[in-house]
Amino acid sequence: MITLGCRLGSHRVIEPKGALPQGAWKLDNTPHAYANEILCTVETLNVDSASFKQISDACGGDPQAIGAHILATVEKRGKQHNPVTGSGGMFVGRVRAIGSALAGRDDVAVGDRIASLVSLTLTPLHLEAVESVDTATGQVRVRGSAVLFESAIYARLPDDLPTDVALAVLDVAGAPAQVRRLARPGATVCVIGADGKSGLLACAQARERVGPTGRVVGIVPSAETPSAALLVEHRYVDHLAVADARDALAVVQLLPEALPEMADVVVNCVNVAGTELASILCCKDEGIVYFFSMATSFTAAALGAEGVGKDVTMMVGNGYAKGHAAVALQTLRDHPAIADYFIARYSRSS
Ligand SMILES: NC(=O)c1ccc[n+]([C@@H]2O[C@H](COP(=O)([O-])OP(=O)(O)OC[C@H]3O[C@@H](n4cnc5c(N)ncnc54)[C@H](OP(=O)(O)O)[C@@H]3O)[C@@H](O)[C@H]2O)c1
Protein backbone atom coordinates (compact mmCIF):
# COMPACT_ATOMS: atom_id res chain seq x y z
CA MET A 1 0.00 0.00 0.00
CA ILE A 2 1.29 3.50 -0.86
CA THR A 3 1.45 5.82 2.15
CA LEU A 4 1.42 9.42 1.03
CA GLY A 5 2.30 12.21 3.42
CA CYS A 6 1.28 15.85 3.15
CA ARG A 7 3.34 17.49 0.40
CA LEU A 8 4.34 20.24 2.87
CA GLY A 9 5.28 17.73 5.57
CA SER A 10 2.51 18.33 8.12
CA HIS A 11 2.22 14.53 8.64
CA ARG A 12 5.65 14.70 10.35
CA VAL A 13 4.59 17.27 12.94
CA ILE A 14 4.37 15.84 16.45
CA GLU A 15 3.89 19.07 18.37
CA PRO A 16 1.82 21.22 18.13
CA LYS A 17 -0.71 19.31 16.06
CA GLY A 18 -1.93 21.21 13.02
CA ALA A 19 1.33 23.15 12.55
CA LEU A 20 3.53 23.03 9.49
CA PRO A 21 7.07 21.68 10.02
CA GLN A 22 8.90 25.02 10.15
CA GLY A 23 6.74 26.43 12.89
CA ALA A 24 6.47 23.14 14.80
CA TRP A 25 8.30 22.49 18.03
CA LYS A 26 8.91 18.81 17.30
CA LEU A 27 8.99 16.65 14.19
CA ASP A 28 8.83 12.90 13.66
CA ASN A 29 12.36 12.19 12.39
CA THR A 30 11.90 8.46 11.72
CA PRO A 31 14.41 7.68 8.95
CA HIS A 32 11.95 6.10 6.56
CA ALA A 33 10.57 7.63 3.37
CA TYR A 34 6.83 8.00 2.86
CA ALA A 35 5.79 7.51 -0.77
CA ASN A 36 6.25 11.23 -1.47
CA GLU A 37 9.45 11.80 0.50
CA ILE A 38 13.16 11.47 -0.19
CA LEU A 39 15.37 9.89 2.45
CA CYS A 40 19.01 10.99 2.57
CA THR A 41 22.09 9.86 4.43
CA VAL A 42 23.46 13.08 5.88
CA GLU A 43 27.18 13.81 5.79
CA THR A 44 27.52 17.47 6.75
CA LEU A 45 25.34 20.11 8.32
CA ASN A 46 26.00 23.73 7.47
CA VAL A 47 24.60 25.44 10.54
CA ASP A 48 23.61 28.98 9.56
CA SER A 49 26.04 31.61 10.77
CA ALA A 50 23.75 33.43 13.24
CA SER A 51 22.80 30.11 14.84
CA PHE A 52 26.34 28.74 14.86
CA LYS A 53 27.67 31.91 16.50
CA GLN A 54 24.99 31.73 19.21
CA ILE A 55 25.70 28.03 19.90
CA SER A 56 29.45 28.59 19.83
CA ASP A 57 29.19 31.52 22.27
CA ALA A 58 26.99 29.44 24.58
CA CYS A 59 29.54 26.59 24.46
CA GLY A 60 32.64 28.73 24.92
CA GLY A 61 33.78 27.84 21.40
CA ASP A 62 34.46 24.22 22.40
CA PRO A 63 33.85 21.91 19.40
CA GLN A 64 32.81 18.96 21.57
CA ALA A 65 30.31 21.04 23.51
CA ILE A 66 28.95 22.49 20.25
CA GLY A 67 28.52 18.95 18.89
CA ALA A 68 26.72 17.86 22.07
CA HIS A 69 24.49 20.96 21.86
CA ILE A 70 23.48 20.12 18.28
CA LEU A 71 22.82 16.48 19.18
CA ALA A 72 20.65 17.56 22.08
CA THR A 73 18.61 19.98 19.93
CA VAL A 74 18.00 17.35 17.27
CA GLU A 75 17.12 14.76 19.93
CA LYS A 76 14.58 17.15 21.48
CA ARG A 77 13.07 18.61 18.31
CA GLY A 78 13.68 16.07 15.53
CA LYS A 79 15.33 18.89 13.57
CA GLN A 80 18.23 21.35 13.91
CA HIS A 81 16.10 24.35 14.80
CA ASN A 82 17.94 26.69 17.16
CA PRO A 83 15.33 27.84 19.68
CA VAL A 84 17.25 31.05 20.42
CA THR A 85 17.88 32.36 16.89
CA GLY A 86 14.99 30.46 15.30
CA SER A 87 17.28 29.56 12.38
CA GLY A 88 18.74 26.35 10.97
CA GLY A 89 21.04 25.83 8.00
CA MET A 90 21.13 23.09 5.38
CA PHE A 91 22.73 19.71 4.76
CA VAL A 92 24.75 17.76 2.25
CA GLY A 93 24.07 14.08 1.90
CA ARG A 94 23.44 11.17 -0.41
CA VAL A 95 20.00 10.09 -1.58
CA ARG A 96 19.19 6.74 0.02
CA ALA A 97 15.59 6.21 -1.03
CA ILE A 98 13.02 7.94 -3.18
CA GLY A 99 9.38 7.27 -2.39
CA SER A 100 7.39 5.54 -5.13
CA ALA A 101 5.23 8.61 -5.80
CA LEU A 102 8.36 10.63 -6.66
CA ALA A 103 10.01 7.90 -8.73
CA GLY A 104 9.35 9.84 -11.96
CA ARG A 105 11.53 12.81 -10.96
CA ASP A 106 14.36 13.29 -13.39
CA ASP A 107 16.42 15.68 -11.26
CA VAL A 108 17.44 13.19 -8.61
CA ALA A 109 18.39 9.51 -8.32
CA VAL A 110 19.32 7.16 -5.52
CA GLY A 111 23.05 7.59 -4.83
CA ASP A 112 23.21 11.28 -5.89
CA ARG A 113 24.97 13.69 -3.57
CA ILE A 114 22.73 16.66 -3.01
CA ALA A 115 22.50 19.81 -0.93
CA SER A 116 19.15 20.59 0.64
CA LEU A 117 17.92 24.04 -0.26
CA VAL A 118 15.29 24.12 2.44
CA SER A 119 16.05 25.06 6.00
CA LEU A 120 17.06 22.56 8.66
CA THR A 121 14.35 24.22 10.76
CA LEU A 122 11.77 22.19 8.83
CA THR A 123 13.81 19.12 7.88
CA PRO A 124 13.26 15.91 9.87
CA LEU A 125 16.76 14.98 11.00
CA HIS A 126 17.93 11.93 12.87
CA LEU A 127 21.52 12.00 14.15
CA GLU A 128 23.53 8.99 15.29
CA ALA A 129 26.67 11.01 15.95
CA VAL A 130 28.45 14.29 15.45
CA GLU A 131 31.89 13.38 14.13
CA SER A 132 33.55 16.78 14.02
CA VAL A 133 32.77 20.46 14.26
CA ASP A 134 34.67 23.05 12.26
CA THR A 135 34.43 26.18 14.37
CA ALA A 136 35.91 28.33 11.58
CA THR A 137 33.17 27.51 9.07
CA GLY A 138 30.13 26.27 11.02
CA GLN A 139 30.23 22.99 9.11
CA VAL A 140 29.50 19.89 11.18
CA ARG A 141 30.30 16.36 10.06
CA VAL A 142 27.61 13.95 11.21
CA ARG A 143 26.26 10.44 10.80
CA GLY A 144 22.53 10.56 10.32
CA SER A 145 19.50 10.74 8.08
CA ALA A 146 17.21 13.47 6.85
CA VAL A 147 13.90 13.55 5.04
CA LEU A 148 12.91 15.89 2.22
CA PHE A 149 9.20 16.48 1.65
CA GLU A 150 7.55 16.54 -1.75
CA SER A 151 7.66 20.35 -1.71
CA ALA A 152 11.36 20.53 -0.81
CA ILE A 153 14.02 21.94 -3.09
CA TYR A 154 17.53 20.54 -3.41
CA ALA A 155 20.46 20.72 -5.80
CA ARG A 156 22.84 18.09 -7.11
CA LEU A 157 26.33 19.06 -6.06
CA PRO A 158 28.38 20.52 -8.90
CA ASP A 159 31.34 18.51 -10.20
CA ASP A 160 33.69 21.47 -10.47
CA LEU A 161 33.72 22.58 -6.82
CA PRO A 162 34.73 20.87 -3.58
CA THR A 163 31.67 19.77 -1.60
CA ASP A 164 32.34 22.02 1.39
CA VAL A 165 32.73 25.02 -0.88
CA ALA A 166 29.48 24.27 -2.70
CA LEU A 167 27.77 23.85 0.68
CA ALA A 168 29.09 27.21 1.89
CA VAL A 169 27.85 28.93 -1.28
CA LEU A 170 24.48 27.20 -1.44
CA ASP A 171 23.80 28.02 2.22
CA VAL A 172 23.65 31.71 1.31
CA ALA A 173 22.43 31.37 -2.29
CA GLY A 174 19.48 33.71 -1.72
CA ALA A 175 21.74 36.72 -1.10
CA PRO A 176 23.53 37.03 -4.46
CA ALA A 177 20.34 36.06 -6.30
CA GLN A 178 18.32 38.80 -4.59
CA VAL A 179 21.07 41.39 -5.08
CA ARG A 180 21.10 40.52 -8.77
CA ARG A 181 17.42 41.46 -8.88
CA LEU A 182 17.61 44.56 -6.70
CA ALA A 183 20.76 46.35 -7.87
CA ARG A 184 20.24 48.53 -10.94
CA PRO A 185 22.87 50.08 -13.21
CA GLY A 186 24.19 53.29 -11.67
CA ALA A 187 22.81 52.49 -8.23
CA THR A 188 24.63 52.66 -4.90
CA VAL A 189 24.62 49.39 -2.96
CA CYS A 190 25.83 49.09 0.62
CA VAL A 191 26.63 45.62 1.97
CA ILE A 192 26.90 45.35 5.75
CA GLY A 193 28.98 42.35 6.82
CA ALA A 194 30.61 42.52 3.40
CA ASP A 195 33.50 40.19 4.20
CA GLY A 196 31.46 37.11 5.15
CA LYS A 197 30.13 34.38 2.83
CA SER A 198 26.92 36.08 1.77
CA GLY A 199 28.56 39.51 1.91
CA LEU A 200 31.28 38.60 -0.59
CA LEU A 201 28.82 37.05 -3.03
CA ALA A 202 26.47 40.02 -2.61
CA CYS A 203 29.33 42.46 -3.33
CA ALA A 204 30.30 40.49 -6.45
CA GLN A 205 26.73 40.62 -7.78
CA ALA A 206 26.36 44.28 -6.85
CA ARG A 207 29.60 45.13 -8.65
CA GLU A 208 28.37 43.35 -11.79
CA ARG A 209 24.96 44.93 -11.72
CA VAL A 210 25.67 48.58 -10.83
CA GLY A 211 28.36 48.84 -13.50
CA PRO A 212 30.93 51.62 -13.85
CA THR A 213 28.51 54.41 -12.94
CA GLY A 214 27.32 52.75 -9.76
CA ARG A 215 28.96 52.44 -6.38
CA VAL A 216 29.44 49.54 -3.98
CA VAL A 217 30.25 50.21 -0.34
CA GLY A 218 31.12 47.54 2.22
CA ILE A 219 30.86 47.84 5.98
CA VAL A 220 32.97 45.40 8.03
CA PRO A 221 33.98 45.24 11.69
CA SER A 222 37.67 45.05 10.78
CA ALA A 223 39.64 45.72 7.62
CA GLU A 224 42.29 43.23 8.71
CA THR A 225 40.61 40.04 7.47
CA PRO A 226 41.79 38.42 4.22
CA SER A 227 38.29 38.75 2.77
CA ALA A 228 38.12 42.47 3.61
CA ALA A 229 41.47 42.94 1.88
CA LEU A 230 40.17 41.01 -1.13
CA LEU A 231 37.18 43.32 -1.47
CA VAL A 232 39.47 46.33 -1.76
CA GLU A 233 42.27 44.77 -3.79
CA HIS A 234 39.92 43.38 -6.44
CA ARG A 235 37.73 46.50 -6.41
CA TYR A 236 34.54 44.75 -5.41
CA VAL A 237 33.93 47.80 -3.25
CA ASP A 238 34.59 51.43 -4.07
CA HIS A 239 34.83 52.15 -0.38
CA LEU A 240 35.31 49.90 2.64
CA ALA A 241 34.13 51.38 5.92
CA VAL A 242 35.09 49.90 9.27
CA ALA A 243 32.37 49.98 11.92
CA ASP A 244 30.50 47.85 14.38
CA ALA A 245 27.07 47.82 12.76
CA ARG A 246 25.44 47.43 16.19
CA ASP A 247 26.58 50.99 16.85
CA ALA A 248 24.18 53.00 14.67
CA LEU A 249 25.69 56.35 15.66
CA ALA A 250 29.17 55.20 14.66
CA VAL A 251 27.78 54.15 11.29
CA VAL A 252 26.05 57.52 10.86
CA GLN A 253 29.40 59.25 11.40
CA LEU A 254 30.85 57.29 8.47
CA LEU A 255 28.12 58.33 6.05
CA PRO A 256 29.53 61.67 4.78
CA GLU A 257 32.61 59.86 3.47
CA ALA A 258 31.25 56.38 2.75
CA LEU A 259 27.75 57.12 1.48
CA PRO A 260 27.28 60.86 0.96
CA GLU A 261 24.00 60.30 -0.89
CA MET A 262 23.14 57.12 0.98
CA ALA A 263 22.37 53.81 -0.64
CA ASP A 264 19.62 52.80 -3.02
CA VAL A 265 19.94 49.25 -1.71
CA VAL A 266 21.32 48.13 1.64
CA VAL A 267 22.06 44.44 2.10
CA ASN A 268 22.45 43.23 5.67
CA CYS A 269 24.67 40.11 5.80
CA VAL A 270 25.80 40.13 9.42
CA ASN A 271 25.54 37.27 11.89
CA VAL A 272 24.87 39.31 15.03
CA ALA A 273 21.76 40.96 16.45
CA GLY A 274 21.14 44.69 16.75
CA THR A 275 22.14 46.02 13.32
CA GLU A 276 18.70 47.00 11.98
CA LEU A 277 18.95 50.73 12.68
CA ALA A 278 22.39 51.14 11.12
CA SER A 279 21.09 49.39 8.00
CA ILE A 280 18.08 51.69 7.80
CA LEU A 281 20.19 54.81 8.35
CA CYS A 282 22.45 53.89 5.40
CA CYS A 283 19.46 53.81 3.04
CA LYS A 284 17.95 56.65 0.99
CA ASP A 285 14.30 57.49 1.43
CA GLU A 286 12.36 55.12 -0.84
CA GLY A 287 15.35 52.83 -1.06
CA ILE A 288 15.39 49.12 -0.18
CA VAL A 289 16.87 47.44 2.87
CA TYR A 290 17.28 43.72 2.32
CA PHE A 291 17.72 41.92 5.64
CA PHE A 292 19.39 38.65 4.68
CA SER A 293 20.64 38.22 8.25
CA MET A 294 18.85 35.69 10.42
CA ALA A 295 19.65 37.83 13.42
CA THR A 296 17.18 40.47 12.21
CA SER A 297 14.33 41.54 14.45
CA PHE A 298 11.12 42.51 12.67
CA THR A 299 10.12 44.82 15.51
CA ALA A 300 13.54 46.49 15.72
CA ALA A 301 13.46 47.09 11.95
CA ALA A 302 9.86 48.29 11.75
CA LEU A 303 9.94 50.50 14.83
CA GLY A 304 13.47 51.68 14.10
CA ALA A 305 12.53 52.92 10.62
CA GLU A 306 9.44 54.63 11.96
CA GLY A 307 11.40 56.19 14.83
CA VAL A 308 13.93 57.83 12.52
CA GLY A 309 11.32 58.79 9.93
CA LYS A 310 12.73 56.67 7.11
CA ASP A 311 10.40 55.76 4.26
CA VAL A 312 12.25 52.66 3.14
CA THR A 313 11.06 49.32 1.81
CA MET A 314 12.33 46.52 4.00
CA MET A 315 12.62 43.00 2.68
CA VAL A 316 12.73 39.87 4.79
CA GLY A 317 15.61 37.72 3.58
CA ASN A 318 13.74 34.96 1.81
CA GLY A 319 16.43 32.32 1.39
CA TYR A 320 14.80 31.22 -1.84
CA ALA A 321 14.68 32.98 -5.18
CA LYS A 322 14.03 31.16 -8.45
CA GLY A 323 17.32 29.87 -9.81
CA HIS A 324 19.23 31.01 -6.71
CA ALA A 325 21.51 27.97 -6.52
CA ALA A 326 22.64 28.41 -10.11
CA VAL A 327 23.15 32.18 -9.66
CA ALA A 328 25.20 31.69 -6.49
CA LEU A 329 27.45 28.99 -7.96
CA GLN A 330 27.92 31.01 -11.14
CA THR A 331 28.85 34.08 -9.07
CA LEU A 332 31.67 32.06 -7.59
CA ARG A 333 32.80 30.75 -10.98
CA ASP A 334 32.76 34.24 -12.49
CA HIS A 335 34.88 35.74 -9.73
CA PRO A 336 38.12 33.77 -9.37
CA ALA A 337 39.46 35.86 -6.48
CA ILE A 338 36.34 35.09 -4.43
CA ALA A 339 36.41 31.46 -5.55
CA ASP A 340 40.04 31.15 -4.41
CA TYR A 341 39.10 32.61 -1.05
CA PHE A 342 36.15 30.22 -0.62
CA ILE A 343 38.31 27.26 -1.62
CA ALA A 344 41.07 28.22 0.81
CA ARG A 345 38.62 28.81 3.64
CA TYR A 346 35.93 26.18 3.20
CA SER A 347 37.45 23.27 1.32
CA ARG A 348 38.47 20.30 3.41
CA SER A 349 39.12 16.83 2.11
CA SER A 350 35.79 16.24 0.36
N1 LIG B 1 18.02 34.53 4.69
C1 LIG B 1 18.48 33.31 4.56
O1 LIG B 1 17.88 32.44 4.00
C2 LIG B 1 19.81 32.98 5.14
C3 LIG B 1 20.50 31.82 4.74
C4 LIG B 1 21.75 31.58 5.28
C5 LIG B 1 22.30 32.46 6.21
N2 LIG B 1 21.58 33.54 6.60
C6 LIG B 1 22.08 34.53 7.57
O2 LIG B 1 22.83 35.51 6.87
C7 LIG B 1 23.80 36.07 7.76
C8 LIG B 1 25.18 35.98 7.11
O3 LIG B 1 25.52 34.62 6.88
P1 LIG B 1 26.97 34.26 6.36
O4 LIG B 1 27.01 32.79 6.24
O5 LIG B 1 27.33 35.13 5.23
O6 LIG B 1 27.82 34.70 7.66
P2 LIG B 1 29.38 34.91 7.84
O7 LIG B 1 30.14 34.34 6.71
O8 LIG B 1 29.69 34.48 9.23
O9 LIG B 1 29.50 36.51 7.75
C9 LIG B 1 28.99 37.34 8.76
C10 LIG B 1 29.56 38.71 8.53
O10 LIG B 1 29.07 39.63 9.51
C11 LIG B 1 30.17 40.43 9.92
N3 LIG B 1 29.91 41.00 11.21
C12 LIG B 1 29.85 40.36 12.42
N4 LIG B 1 29.60 41.25 13.39
C13 LIG B 1 29.52 42.47 12.79
C14 LIG B 1 29.29 43.77 13.27
N5 LIG B 1 29.08 44.01 14.58
N6 LIG B 1 29.30 44.81 12.40
C15 LIG B 1 29.50 44.59 11.07
N7 LIG B 1 29.70 43.36 10.54
C16 LIG B 1 29.72 42.31 11.40
C17 LIG B 1 31.32 39.45 9.94
O11 LIG B 1 32.56 40.13 9.97
P3 LIG B 1 33.90 39.36 10.49
O12 LIG B 1 33.94 38.05 9.80
O13 LIG B 1 35.00 40.29 10.10
O14 LIG B 1 33.68 39.20 11.96
C18 LIG B 1 31.08 38.76 8.63
O15 LIG B 1 31.55 39.53 7.56
C19 LIG B 1 23.69 35.30 9.07
O16 LIG B 1 22.83 36.00 9.93
C20 LIG B 1 23.04 34.00 8.63
O17 LIG B 1 22.40 33.38 9.69
C21 LIG B 1 20.37 33.83 6.06
Side-chain angles (χ1 to χ4, degrees), residues 9 14 46 58 64 74 76 99 110 129 147 157 173 182 196 200 209-210 253 277 312 347:
I14 294 178
N46 191 110
Q64 276 200 323
V74 174
K76 258 198 300 253
V110 171
V147 168
L157 288 170
L182 296 173
L200 287 167
R209 299 297 286 174
V210 303
Q253 277 167 12
L277 201 53
V312 291
S347 167

Side-chain angles (χ1 to χ4, degrees), residues 46-53 87-90 136-137 168 170-175 192-200 219-223 225 227-228 243-247 268-273 275 290-296 316-320 341 345-346:
N46 191 110
V47 178
D48 88 275
S49 183
S51 172
F52 191 81
K53 180 167 183 353
S87 56
M90 26 93 73
T137 64
L170 292 171
D171 174 38
V172 297
I192 305 184
D195 63 343
K197 290 198 295 287
S198 54
L200 287 167
I219 298 182
V220 294
S222 158
T225 62
S227 49
D244 178 343
R246 291 168 296 189
D247 185 346
N268 182 316
C269 292
V270 306
N271 59 353
V272 293
T275 64
Y290 173 51
F291 286 109
F292 187 68
S293 166
M294 283 291 163
T296 305
V316 173
N318 182 353
Y320 175 64
Y341 170 79
R345 177 158 175 142
Y346 294 102

Side-chain angles (χ1 to χ4, degrees), residues 294-308:
M294 283 291 163
T296 305
S297 151
F298 173 84
T299 37
L303 299 177
E306 180 191 271
V308 294

Side-chain angles (χ1 to χ4, degrees), residues 265-296:
V265 179
V266 176
V267 187
N268 182 316
C269 292
V270 306
N271 59 353
V272 293
T275 64
E276 295 82 0
L277 201 53
S279 308
I280 290 161
L281 289 167
C282 289
C283 191
K284 273 181 193 165
D285 257 349
E286 296 175 37
I288 295 172
V289 185
Y290 173 51
F291 286 109
F292 187 68
S293 166
M294 283 291 163
T296 305

